[in-house]
Amino acid sequence: MRPVYLDHNATTPLSPGVAAAMSPYLGGQYGNPLTAHRFGEGPRAAIDEARCSVRTLLGATDDSRVLFNSGATEGLNHALKGLALASLSDGRVGARRRIVIGGLEHYAVSAPAQWLADAFGFELVRVAPGRDGVIPADAFIDAVAADTTLVAALHWANNELGTLQPVEEIGRHCREIGVPFVCDAVQAIGKVDTQDACAFADVIALSAHKFYGPKGAGALVVRAGIDLVPLLHGASQESGQRGGTHNVAGIVGLGAAAIAAHAGRRQESPRVAALRDALADGIRGRIDRVHWNGGRAAVLPNTLNLSFEGCPSAALCAEMDRRGFAISAGAACDSGTAKPSKNVLAMGLSEGRALTSVRISLGHDTTAIDIQATQAAFAEAVSAVRADN
Ligand code: PLP
């Protein structure tokens, strides 16, 4: 049997259609898009088209900027540091010194926010989630004050739990009071409806490899009127906001993946959600002492985070891997560590629950046959790990 990949929140395979769209830009269309001669024309037009595709995906107006970059880690660093550095006066932090973030943010948000606090003295406020893995909108809104808050940042969907965050309510409030709202949309793209995102978020970050595009390509969408200091000073690419020769094939791939995500979501999300629910029911029917972390909240259609009592996550992932099933213990960047899941702990759940949680994330290539096989594999793997403990 072919291996079954159930780790789509870590990364997705490149779709064949996206690879085909990229192919000319890895071959004959090699010109630098900034050059005036004919070799630059095709790549330049392709980049313009990709910008339109990203705008369509997020409902961005023509006056907003779509800045291509290497992915969301760069984009989110650019958003937070760019806003913070733009606010300094004579190198000093001003009255608006508070950075408000959710308590379940990816390191791509929490690490630059912490760095800004440590290096410059910005005040960092993290709003704790509830036991359902959702940041309460009222607590977040209470932490954001117009006269003192420089920026608020919240992810749309959690990478590990799949829980959906109240980004629209919070974003609209922030816009009303004039506080820039940064949304990490990495896990939401192609899974939930994002076409009104720019109506409530001022800065939006995404990574192509999370929605069947290439690795190393991302975009930051910035509403008109929001000023960011560039992270990469260099030549005039991306209106001087991100120097460095364009990754043309990557950008074209991102654009093609954006179009496909936009067009395919309505059909794909219910299909994957039905498979995910069948998997959850099948596992809970066969195996006792299983808990769905965050399962009572609204979650991404493809994501299941389960704790199996008596099964350390790393041991269970290894048993599943031996049987040909790729799942993960927490996020990809934490996976392989024997540490408890920081997200499950942040929800206020026990250390035991956090040490035994695994993430199963389905994707376009997941079939009903895979789901049946996965249930059987879990039953065997859990017995094996429990017998060893
Ligand atoms: N934000 C979230 C929610 C993520 O899941 C990830 C990656 O897993 C990132 C940000 C960072 O994305 P990248 O590693 O593509 O830069």
Side-chain angles (χ1 to χ4, degrees), residues 13 27 52 68 92 104 190 227-228 234 243-244 291 301 305 319 321 334 383:
C52 290
F68 290 119
R92 288 222 169 80
L104 295 171
D227 283 331
L228 302 180
H291 307 278
N305 189 299
E319 281 294 337
D321 193 29
D334 283 328
S383 309

Side-chain angles (χ1 to χ4, degrees), residues 9 71-73 76 106 108 157 159 184 186-187 207 209-210:
N9 287 10
T73 299
L76 292 162
H106 191 273
N159 52 321
D184 167 358
V186 167
Q187 295 290 347
S207 277
H209 73 102
K210 302 286 190 184

Side-chain angles (χ1 to χ4, degrees), residues 79-80 83 95-101 123 140-154 167-183 198-203 223 225-228:
L80 294 178
L83 279 163
R96 292 177 78 158
R97 55 191 295 273
R98 180 178 288 189
I99 299 172
V100 181
I101 68 172
E123 178 200 8
F140 197 101
I141 285 171
D142 280 352
V144 178
D147 45 345
T148 56
T149 305
L150 177 73
V151 55
L154 184 64
V167 284
E168 178 161 2
E169 186 181 347
I170 290 171
R172 286 191 190 280
H173 173 79
C174 288
R175 187 159 301 177
E176 241 172 67
I177 62 167
V179 171
F181 178 61
V182 175
C183 182
C198 288
F200 58 83
D202 297 312
V203 185
R223 191 164 74 90
I226 300 284
D227 283 331
L228 302 180

Side-chain angles (χ1 to χ4, degrees), residues 10-209:
T11 196
T12 55
L14 189 67
S15 111
V18 171
M22 292 170 69
S23 163
Y25 304 92
L26 295 165
Q29 292 274 9
Y30 55 82
N32 186 323
L34 253 56
T35 50
H37 55 65
R38 67 188 64 201
F39 284 82
E41 280 170 20
R44 199 160 47 244
I47 290 178
D48 285 346
E49 197 180 322
R51 257 189 250 286
C52 290
S53 306
V54 172
R55 283 207 165 89
T56 304
L57 178 71
L58 299 172
T61 50
D62 288 346
D63 59 352
S64 56
R65 284 165 295 163
V66 176
L67 307 175
F68 290 119
N69 56 28
S70 65
T73 299
E74 179 186 329
L76 292 162
N77 268 268
H78 186 185
L80 294 178
K81 294 176 185 171
L83 279 163
L85 298 185
S87 78
L88 297 180
S89 126
D90 293 332
R92 288 222 169 80
V93 175
R96 292 177 78 158
R97 55 191 295 273
R98 180 178 288 189
I99 299 172
V100 181
I101 68 172
L104 295 171
E105 297 307 307
H106 191 273
Y107 294 115
V109 167
S110 59
Q114 186 65 58
W115 179 79
L116 287 165
D118 295 344
F120 292 94
F122 286 97
E123 178 200 8
L124 177 57
V125 176
R126 293 171 202 258
V127 182
R131 286 173 80 84
D132 55 358
V134 178
I135 309 296
D138 49 355
F140 197 101
I141 285 171
D142 280 352
V144 178
D147 45 345
T148 56
T149 305
L150 177 73
V151 55
L154 184 64
H155 63 299
W156 195 322
N158 191 265
N159 52 321
E160 199 183 326
L161 307 158
T163 46
L164 297 171
Q165 307 298 331
V167 284
E168 178 161 2
E169 186 181 347
I170 290 171
R172 286 191 190 280
H173 173 79
C174 288
R175 187 159 301 177
E176 241 172 67
I177 62 167
V179 171
F181 178 61
V182 175
C183 182
D184 167 358
V186 167
Q187 295 290 347
I189 306 293
K191 299 174 192 158
V192 299
D193 186 356
T194 54
Q195 69 184 359
D196 286 333
C198 288
F200 58 83
D202 297 312
V203 185
I204 303 175
L206 51 87
S207 277
H209 73 102

Side-chain angles (χ1 to χ4, degrees), residues 279-291 306-311 316 320 360 374-384 386:
L279 179 60
D281 291 346
I283 288 175
R284 291 191 293 186
R286 285 167 186 248
I287 305 170
D288 62 352
R289 294 181 289 142
V290 186
H291 307 278
L306 299 176
S307 286
F308 293 85
E309 282 181 36
C311 288
L316 183 55
M320 289 296 282
I360 306 147
T374 306
Q375 293 168 14
F378 262 112
E380 285 178 23
V382 168
S383 309
R386 283 184 179 160

